[in-house]
Amino acid sequence: MSFTIVGKSLPRVDGLEKVTGTAVYTGDMKLPGMLVGKVLRSPYAHAKIVKIDTSKAKSLPGVKSVLTYADTPKILWNSAGFPPSQGAILVEDQYILTDKPRFAGDAVAAVAAVDEDTAMTALELIEVEYEVLPAVFDAREAMKAGAPLLHSAGQNLAGFIPIDIGDIEQGFRDADYIFEDRYVTHKVNQASLEPCGVSIASFDVNGRLTLWTSTQMPHLVRAIVAKSLGMAVGKVRLIKPHVGGGFGSRLGAVNEPISALLARKSGRPVKLQYTREEAFQATESRHPITFELKTGVKKDGTFTARQMKAYINAGAYATHTPSFAGPVAGWFLAMYKCPNIKYEGYSVYTNTAPTGAFRGYGNPQVVFAVESQLDEIARTIGMDPRELTLKNHPCKGEVWVWSNWEIENCGLEEAVSKGADSIGWEEKRGKAQGSSPNKKRGVGMGYMMHVSGARPMLHETASAIIKFNQDGSANLIYSSSDCGQGSSTVLSQIAAEELGIPFENVIITKEADTDVAPFDIGSHASRQIYSGGNAVRLAARQAKAKLLEQAAQMLEVGVDQLEVRDGTVLVKENPGKNLPVAEVVYQALYGKHGHEIMGMSSTEPPGNPPVYAAQFAEVEVDTQTGEVTVIKLVAAHDTGTAINPASVEGQIQGALQQGMGYALTEEVMLDQATGRILNPDFTDYKLLTTMDMPEIEAIIVQAASTSGPFGAKSIGESGLVPTAAAIANAIYDAVGVRVKELPITTEKVLALLREKEGT
């Protein structure tokens, strides 16, 4: 199929605003009479508040409100952004402020004052007497008898998911080889440019709350905040300005309930903006997971049994974790075909900051474990991992276990072939040749599958409105959850392609306002282009149908004889007979039966086609120091139709930076005595910069879906999923040591090298 606008690398609709600095973020906003909010946090990982005295803070000039647990609604709630669905396990175990802090950084009080200095001074004047309690930071330790209990359930298990398919014991009996390994993944922060946690709250004279907040899901956060405050949803309006990156950190409520309570008590607007340190200390990050993996395989590479136990560190509150355990199971179950599979997922409370959504939603952790072991299996049975992957992965026409729906299309074989060629797989694998005698090079591969949404686990409602203007342009009204990924641009391309008008004639709402924009569940699960794109295309199709009806009357031909091309309605068989779209719309508005030409859709997407990727890494390892240098990364991704190829490439490139950091340098480090984060800043939290990045090649494989808008699938999360696995496997190819715990530090590599040498 040929397209006019789809498939073109068109400039981003918000590009000029961002590069010129005129884009307005929540932190830039000021309202008349606005106060500054600040939060007092527990210095202890586990404690009870014996006494809290706020009298000195309240008497400080300029302080307008002070809140403690006593001032909050006694409503248990869950901050995670999920719609009520079969896959949403929403354990409600939070209060807005607490009298029993469960992690170092838990919110125990809040103030609103006329300026930041006054607010900070007020925090210092709040006197808190704590009874310090024993704490536990490791999920496995928290499950043991006698471990400190965080909640009143009698155990620290927030959730448990068991899955049995076939006969696992028979599967192991049928195997020629059995592999058993333990893999450990770690806590990392989303580190978006705009620190997570910025909101402004204001109540009007009728008691209606308006929130301006940096969020990925306007409509769902509106409902979460209403729940936490005991308000009707219709009494809350939420407006999302530009967002400075999300990566899952804004997938749910962050500090909106606190700013709302401060605004309600003070009677004035309140801005609550977390510092970078607070974003590290008190917002959700990637789940640390320990995996116990056991796999049975035949000599020919056929899997007979696959078993996984996953111990998922939820942190102090459940938030996403009991639901998150479902996708973790799905990633494992669906990667490779096997008749006998067993999964046990344990969601465990610990005295650490809550964990939640981060780009990939459990898939990077699972793929690191599974693909590291697959590389070991392939080497043991004498098979190339490419061959082992292609032999066992689910493909077009087969049922994908993740969704239990048929796979529409699969571009993995092409991705593997092109990626291997680019990295020089045949020439380099197993050669270990480096730039000096003590430096060895190797190549490694990682494969993954990911989703284009959350169906059938979660509802996937997306909605769009399109209305024509009398100059022939069209407004696209969508609950835009563009967090920097460029979805507003791509959705505009889909609308323009379907409407038959120039790209620049589509005007998308860049802010989302729940009073105006129709319902959408937000930006997660890589769903914006597949789910949102389908809704936009349906709305555009409806608007175009009405446009053609009006034009048919004006041109005195049948509707089926018309098409819209480049802003002109023309007769297919006689293109010279035509009308500008603007003229048709003008006549509709001001003619005999005046009406606005518009279309609207609100629907769940028709499916959830998986996407595939094969990533390849070339590394060099210094055998004297353990230092790992990544020489090249190749990422070959099946994205379906690339609506905007430059945007797809940008997603992959940015994801590789995150994936490489996840593999090698990034880690939220805890003081094991106090539970405090030791590196809550960009000085000690080691993010990679452009100077650290190797040669990168992004390869787009376009195995079009049958149900996506113009064949599109997803790309948002998958770019970082297999990166750590590819790097770990390349390290093994270079020096023959298997790193099973992330991040892969020089110390770990050197220790394994010395162990291998027997020194």
Side-chain angles (χ1 to χ4, degrees), residues 422-423 616-619 630-634 694-697:
S422 176
I423 206 72
F616 296 83
E618 181 180 4
V619 305
V630 180
I631 306 299
K632 183 177 181 179
L633 290 174
V634 177
E695 178 187 352
I696 287 175
E697 182 175 1

Side-chain angles (χ1 to χ4, degrees), residues 120-312:
M120 293 299 293
T121 302
L123 291 186
E124 295 171 2
L125 293 174
I126 298 174
E127 299 174 357
V128 187
E129 181 183 340
Y130 293 96
E131 176 190 344
V132 181
L133 302 173
V136 61
F137 309 122
D138 178 79
R140 297 296 302 274
E141 293 297 317
M143 291 179 65
K144 292 180 179 178
L149 294 177
L150 276 76
H151 297 273
S152 58
Q155 59 179 344
N156 287 321
L157 202 60
F160 173 62
I161 293 180
I163 298 174
D164 283 283
I165 298 172
D167 184 338
I168 195 70
E169 295 305 325
Q170 184 60 48
F172 286 121
R173 286 192 292 270
D174 292 339
D176 294 319
Y177 299 90
I178 295 176
F179 297 82
E180 292 188 72
D181 295 286
R182 180 174 176 268
Y183 298 92
V184 179
T185 65
H186 59 312
K187 185 180 182 76
V188 292
N189 189 272
Q190 295 88 344
S192 56
L193 286 178
E194 178 187 30
C196 184
V198 53
S199 61
I200 298 172
S202 179
F203 283 85
D204 65 19
V205 293
N206 298 310
R208 191 163 190 252
L209 169 64
T210 298
L211 283 165
W212 292 262
T213 184
S214 181
T215 181
Q216 294 178 230
M217 37 184 36
H219 283 277
L220 291 186
V221 169
R222 173 197 192 198
I224 295 167
V225 172
K227 162 78 176 181
S228 71
L229 297 174
M231 297 177 66
V233 173
K235 295 285 283 183
V236 179
R237 177 188 184 190
L238 191 145
I239 301 170
K240 180 204 75 71
H242 286 284
V243 175
F247 311 118
S249 64
R250 310 174 201 275
L251 209 62
V254 182
N255 62 13
E256 296 88 353
I258 301 176
S259 61
L261 279 183
L262 288 169
R264 174 188 278 172
K265 188 165 186 178
S266 66
R268 289 169 62 173
V270 173
K271 178 192 286 184
L272 180 56
Q273 186 168 7
Y274 285 173
T275 63
R276 179 66 65 187
E277 288 76 13
E278 285 181 292
F280 270 95
Q281 292 169 345
T283 68
E284 297 172 355
S285 54
R286 193 184 293 287
H287 289 82
I289 308 177
T290 296
F291 298 101
E292 294 175 2
L293 195 58
K294 184 177 179 181
T295 305
V297 63
K298 290 281 193 182
K299 293 177 182 177
D300 67 354
T302 302
F303 290 125
T304 62
R306 301 180 66 230
Q307 180 175 318
M308 173 182 278
K309 292 182 180 179
Y311 300 93
I312 307 168

Side-chain angles (χ1 to χ4, degrees), residues 402-422:
W402 200 95
S403 64
N404 286 321
W405 292 337
E406 185 176 306
I407 297 171
E408 298 177 21
N409 211 338
C410 168
L412 181 62
E413 186 172 341
E414 182 181 345
V416 169
S417 175
K418 289 183 175 179
D421 287 346
S422 176

